[in-house]
Every structure is written in structure tokens, then in C-alpha cells.
Amino acid sequence: MSNPIISVIFSSYNGASRRLQNTLDSFLAQDFPPEKWELIAVNNNSKDATSELLHRYDQRLPITVLDHPSPGKSGALNAALDVAKGTLLVMTDDDVEANPDWLSKIAACADANPEFGIFGGQILPNWEHSPTGNRLLEWVPMGSTFAIVDTRTSGPCDPTNVWGPNTTVRLSALGADVRYREDIGPLPGGMFAMGEDQEIIMRLCGRGVKAYHCAEAIVHHWIPASSVNELWVQKRGERLGYGIPALFPKDVPTGPRIAGVPVKTWIESAQWAFRAAILYLLPKSKKRFWAIWKYYYMRGYRAGIRRYASATLAR
């Protein structure tokens, strides 16, 4: 394909054992002309049948399959960006189901708003089990917890509201030099820093690129039942905290440090640890949940300061 309008990009690690086929089937149903878009799917060091599943769609989708053996989503996406030909680069995930008019709405939105270089859309939950009556969902922010964006009105938006599996960037805005930071983003096993998608958007906005929310462009993001519980969300808070020093190094407290961590951060950590320990003994409540969440967040934040200390020590 020589001149596609849209390049859809995603990375998959062991996706064949999860929702990858559903994602690909939703791409088959797109009403956007197949000669006007391409799909670049990166098999990122999978140990299952991900590569075989992707190649089963060779004749049905305008797909290019890349093998990226180095673990890490950000590096895999960079490999795709280096070969993408579309004027609009649509980043998504391997566990979404896109509305049939998803790509058509993105193209129309970008065409109608040429002064914007970044576009987000709705990301609605695709629950494995209905969460009706689950109090946890009344306590947590759906965006940072489950990557949900349900704003139904289109228009200019804060770039911090564009993320995850429904992110579009003009190739002209991205250029040849802006890529995902490979020291943050999902890695198999262990701790990793969240926020690779927001970090690249923030850098683009720092260059003057403006963001727009296209409410008509909709994907449905799979949320397994195993994610809808307090412990999972609290542990996610730890990964969130781990990435904050990478994204916002100027916000790391100044002053003396112990074991590489500012004394101010140790004091705040101790305060939350004490609250969490006291409230842990009480019945479940929003106050109890957030105290424990903050304990995990601060634990991740301390580790993140150590990991990304080179960005904060020279102050």
C-alpha cells in the first residue's frame, strides 16, 4: 500500500490467549475502505500463538506483522512507527473492539479539524462480568484505573484526556524524532512505569500540538473480572506511582535524601502507611480503600524516584 490515510498500530504480548481475535474481527468490520488504511501489528516476544493468529488475517486485513523480540510495549510501538505510512497514526491495544465506523469517524474528525494534531475518542468499558452493585467503581477514577474515556461531546480537550487504545496523532506532528520512551511502559512480569502514552502526548503538546476529542470514534476496552477488585486497583496505584517521577521529574520534592528518596517523601509515605494500617482493621469503605491505595502509590513513587533519579538529583 503506497499512500494509506490511516495506520492503525498495536503491540501484542501473548494476545492469542486473551482477546486478540476479537480485536482483529472488529477491524474486519470497519466501513473504512481497506485500500485507505493499513494495520501494523507487532508480535512483542509472545510465547503463545500470537504470530500465527495475526498471520491468519493476512488475506482479510491490510495487515503487516512485525516481530519485535525485545520485551516492552514502547519499543514495539516504536518499531511500528518507523514503518508506518499513514498520515494519521492510530495507536490502540490488542484487547479492544472497535465500532464499525471507528476509522471513518477518526478520518472525518481529523479532516474537519486541520489545526489539531492529536485526537482522542471514547473508550467504553467492555466488562467480562457486569459490575452492577460494585461499590469500588463508585470510588475510583475510571480513566487512570481502567483507561475509560466516556466524554460524549466533541471538541478541543486537555491533552491529559487522550490516552491508551484510542489515540491518533498526525504523522506531520510526530515527525521522525518523537517516539515512545522505552524506559517506561508495560513490560512482562515485575514492576513497570505507567504513562508511556501520556508522556509522548505531553511532549507533542510542549511543541505546540493541540488536542481534540472526537466523541464519535469509539472503541470498547476489555476489562476482565480479575481487575475489578480492591487489591488489583491498589497494586495498579503502585505502578502509577512508579511512573510519576519519569513523567514529572520537576515535581519530585527537593531537599535531603535518605537511600535516594527525599526525606519529605519518606515522611508522607510513613503517614499513609500508618493510616492504612489503622484503617485496614476496619470494614471496607472508600476512606479505607484510598488509604491503602495511597500506601501502594507511595511505595511505587519511592521506587520510581530511585529508578529515574538521574532526572531529579541535579537540582
Side-chain angles (χ1 to χ4, degrees), residues 28-298:
L28 280 176
Q30 291 301 301
D31 63 10
F32 199 63
E35 68 274 11
K36 293 185 178 182
W37 70 286
E38 66 174 352
L39 173 62
I40 304 176
V42 187
N43 173 32
N44 185 205
N45 195 42
S46 298
K47 308 303 181 185
D48 66 356
T50 292
S51 180
E52 291 85 347
L53 176 57
L54 292 171
H55 281 292
R56 278 169 33 199
Y57 287 78
D58 282 342
Q59 303 303 315
R60 295 186 286 166
L61 284 171
I63 187 172
T64 297
V65 179
L66 301 181
D67 288 312
H68 188 76
S70 299
K73 179 181 177 181
S74 295
L77 292 178
N78 285 339
L81 290 174
D82 287 342
V83 301
K85 302 182 184 72
T87 56
L88 295 173
L89 308 174
V90 179
M91 273 67 79
T92 189
D93 286 343
D94 66 349
D95 59 354
V96 303
E97 293 182 33
N99 278 14
D101 61 354
W102 178 49
L103 296 181
S104 295
K105 294 299 185 183
I106 289 174
C109 188
D111 187 57
N113 298 279
E115 69 273 30
F116 293 87
I118 298 167
F119 299 89
Q122 286 200 71
I123 307 171
L124 303 179
N126 182 9
W127 306 103
E128 181 178 15
H129 297 313
S130 172
T132 303
N134 191 322
R135 291 183 301 165
L136 177 66
L137 301 183
E138 300 174 3
W139 302 341
V140 303
M142 296 295 285
S144 59
T145 305
F146 298 117
I148 301 304
V149 180
D150 56 4
T151 303
R152 298 185 181 183
T153 303
S154 296
C157 68
D158 191 302
T160 60
N161 293 327
V162 179
W163 62 63
N166 203 354
T167 298
T168 299
V169 178
R170 293 190 192 274
L171 178 63
S172 58
L174 193 73
D177 60 327
V178 179
R179 293 295 184 267
Y180 286 93
R181 276 182 57 176
E182 296 187 16
D183 60 338
I184 59 177
L187 286 165
M191 179 65 68
F192 62 82
M194 293 171 55
E196 77 289 345
D197 47 357
Q198 290 231 305
E199 193 278 334
I200 195 171
I201 294 300
M202 288 164 53
R203 263 190 291 142
L204 289 171
C205 288
R207 297 184 172 196
V209 182
K210 296 188 295 183
Y212 191 95
H213 177 68
C214 181
E216 298 81 12
I218 300 172
V219 299
H220 303 262
H221 189 215
W222 175 251
I223 302 177
S226 59
S227 300
V228 191
N229 65 78
E230 290 192 22
L231 181 59
W232 186 92
V233 175
Q234 288 159 347
K235 292 291 288 185
R236 185 171 176 85
E238 186 174 6
R239 294 200 301 271
L240 177 64
Y242 187 67
I244 292 298
L247 272 64
F248 305 103
K250 293 182 180 180
D251 293 341
V252 174
T254 57
R257 298 191 177 206
I258 298 175
V261 176
V263 171
K264 294 176 183 177
T265 301
W266 280 115
I267 293 172
E268 185 177 3
S269 297
Q271 291 171 339
W272 283 110
F274 177 76
R275 294 180 194 178
I278 295 299
L279 292 171
Y280 182 80
L281 302 173
L282 300 179
K284 290 184 177 182
S285 66
K286 182 177 181 179
K287 185 176 182 180
R288 175 186 182 273
F289 166 82
W290 277 109
I292 298 172
W293 186 95
K294 192 69 175 184
Y295 162 77
Y296 278 110
Y297 173 90
M298 294 304 300

